[in-house]
Amino acid sequence: MTPFPWREAMQFGLGTLRLSPDAFWRMTPRELAAALIGARGGVGAPLDRGGLDALMRRYPDQKEQAR
């Protein structure tokens, strides 16, 4: 199990959101997560196979050489 990232949470809450220590420690994890999403934007849906194929066609690893 990965430990909770307290350092990053405190940096975000106290530094980015500029919360007082009292306000930060009174937040629930759900409130902190909502604040994080609100500040940084939501998480997009994962790329499906069709989306990956479209990206590979648009940005191939190597360009075809002219004949």
Side-chain angles (χ1 to χ4, degrees), residues 29-58:
R30 184 171 288 169
E31 291 169 333
L32 183 60
L36 178 64
I37 291 169
R40 296 190 177 164
V43 176
L47 193 62
D48 63 4
R49 184 64 200 198
L52 177 60
D53 290 341
L55 280 174
M56 289 170 58
R57 282 190 303 276
R58 188 169 180 186

Side-chain angles (χ1 to χ4, degrees), residues 7 10 15 18-20 28 36 39 41-42 45 49-50 52 56 62 66:
R7 178 178 291 172
M10 290 188 299
R18 304 179 76 77
L19 296 169
S20 69
T28 65
L36 178 64
R49 184 64 200 198
L52 177 60
M56 289 170 58
Q62 295 178 355

Side-chain angles (χ1 to χ4, degrees), residues 1-29:
M1 178 179 229
T2 304
F4 187 80
W6 285 111
R7 178 178 291 172
E8 291 85 357
M10 290 188 299
Q11 288 171 348
F12 176 72
L14 302 173
T16 303
L17 295 179
R18 304 179 76 77
L19 296 169
S20 69
D22 184 59
F24 173 79
W25 289 112
R26 287 178 181 264
M27 292 180 86
T28 65

